[in-house]
Amino acid sequence: MQDAIVIIPTYNEIENIEAIVRAVFSQEKQFHILVVDDNSPDLTALKVKELQKDFPQRLHLLQREEKTGLGTAYIAGFKWCLERKYDYVFEMDADFSHNPNDLIKLYNACHIENADMSVGSRYVKGINVVNWPMSRILLSYFASKYVRLITQMKIHDTTAGFVCYKRKVLETIDLDAIKFVGYAFQIEMKFKTYLEDFKIVEVPVIFTDRVRGKSKMSGSIISEAIFGVISMKLNSLFNKG
């Protein structure tokens, strides 16, 4: 069994899915892929099924009946991977905002440098974001600063969605107790990992905004991330984990 798998959640990513799958499979290090598709109207899942003919043992598909949030898609993916024997489980977007060439950096941080979680970080060395408007860069940057202040995590990019987990982290965290479903999910997973005293390492990467397809970012997602952090922190003080 291959030791590493990349979870790619999708909703209307027909313009990106074939390219991102082939880019991951072109890496020198061999990765498997699990696409978690939320019943995309643009038939993203159908394209994945076609690609499975080219990659029958490496490309997997988990289809869900409806779109219920990024967090629930990843939780379903985590559980699927834990039922198999993968030692390293990755989160990655379908839109090339995360460079597949950086997968090996995150893998090596865990496999060689003994991190339990490695984070592809936009902010550990300055601000490495391409094609975002300044307003969105500042919102993301200061949101991460805010989360770092409230939670006391020593992580610069707390909202990053490009992550590698060692299997034991996902086995330790109570996945059914994860509360957030939007981008705050990324914060909560890091916070739960931090509370369990796992070693978290940030790996500098360059984040490039999507060229094709439509962003899923919204005001409600941002407010969940900002206002949910305080309740998450307070809850941890009274009930760790």
Side-chain angles (χ1 to χ4, degrees):
M1 173 64 75
Q2 176 58 33
D3 71 336
I5 186 165
V6 181
I7 301 175
I8 302 178
T10 56
Y11 184 76
N12 286 346
E13 292 290 355
I14 193 69
E15 295 174 272
N16 293 304
I17 192 61
E18 180 170 3
I20 196 70
V21 164
R22 294 191 182 278
V24 171
F25 287 154
S26 71
Q27 300 302 306
E28 185 173 342
K29 158 72 181 170
Q30 187 177 102
F31 296 93
H32 283 192
I33 294 174
L34 172 65
V35 175
V36 182
D37 185 71
D38 282 358
N39 198 21
S40 298
D42 69 357
L43 303 181
T44 299
L46 185 60
K47 172 55 72 173
V48 174
K49 289 178 180 178
E50 292 175 4
L51 290 167
Q52 284 181 311
K53 298 173 184 176
D54 293 338
F55 309 102
Q57 304 301 321
R58 300 176 64 187
L59 178 58
H60 308 281
L61 174 64
L62 178 59
Q63 291 180 271
R64 305 203 308 158
E65 294 183 357
E66 58 184 349
K67 187 175 186 289
T68 56
L70 180 74
T72 62
Y74 270 126
I75 294 297
F78 292 155
K79 290 180 178 180
W80 188 96
C81 294
L82 289 175
E83 289 173 359
R84 280 76 183 173
K85 299 298 182 183
Y86 297 102
D87 294 320
Y88 303 92
V89 179
F90 292 75
E91 297 179 0
M92 192 174 85
D93 290 348
D95 60 8
F96 283 93
S97 54
H98 305 142
N99 189 337
N101 294 337
D102 290 329
L103 284 167
I104 190 63
K105 298 178 184 178
L106 299 186
Y107 176 80
N108 286 341
C110 289
H111 182 65
I112 297 175
E113 300 170 29
N114 207 34
D116 298 306
M117 167 191 277
S118 57
V119 178
S121 177
R122 297 163 289 187
Y123 307 130
V124 70
K125 290 187 176 180
I127 300 178
N128 291 315
V129 178
V130 178
N131 292 342
W132 264 9
M134 184 56 67
S135 59
R136 187 169 174 185
I137 291 174
L138 292 174
L139 176 63
S140 173
Y141 179 77
F142 285 109
S144 280
K145 290 289 188 183
Y146 164 78
V147 173
R148 180 180 165 111
L149 176 67
I150 297 298
T151 63
Q152 297 298 298
M153 288 190 291
K154 306 303 181 186
I155 301 173
H156 294 85
D157 195 351
T158 54
T159 61
F162 194 19
V163 181
C164 174
Y165 299 86
K166 273 187 180 172
R167 179 184 185 88
K168 64 181 179 180
V169 175
L170 297 177
E171 288 176 331
T172 300
I173 293 173
D174 183 358
L175 297 176
D176 292 324
I178 298 296
K179 295 181 176 60
F180 295 125
V181 298
Y183 282 78
F185 163 81
Q186 304 292 2
I187 301 169
E188 187 173 7
M189 287 297 295
K190 294 179 187 67
F191 189 54
K192 292 296 179 69
T193 302
Y194 162 78
L195 290 177
E196 294 289 350
D197 292 324
F198 284 117
K199 180 181 178 182
I200 305 174
V201 170
E202 286 186 274
V203 177
V205 299
I206 296 175
F207 178 97
T208 304
D209 196 21
R210 67 166 59 237
V211 175
R212 296 176 295 275
K214 185 177 179 181
S215 173
K216 315 304 189 297
M217 183 66 74
S218 70
S220 62
I221 286 172
I222 294 169
S223 64
E224 178 196 55
I226 293 175
F227 297 111
V229 169
I230 294 178
S231 62
M232 184 181 72
K233 173 63 176 179
L234 289 174
N235 184 62
S236 75
L237 296 176
F238 296 104
N239 183 21
K240 183 177 180 181

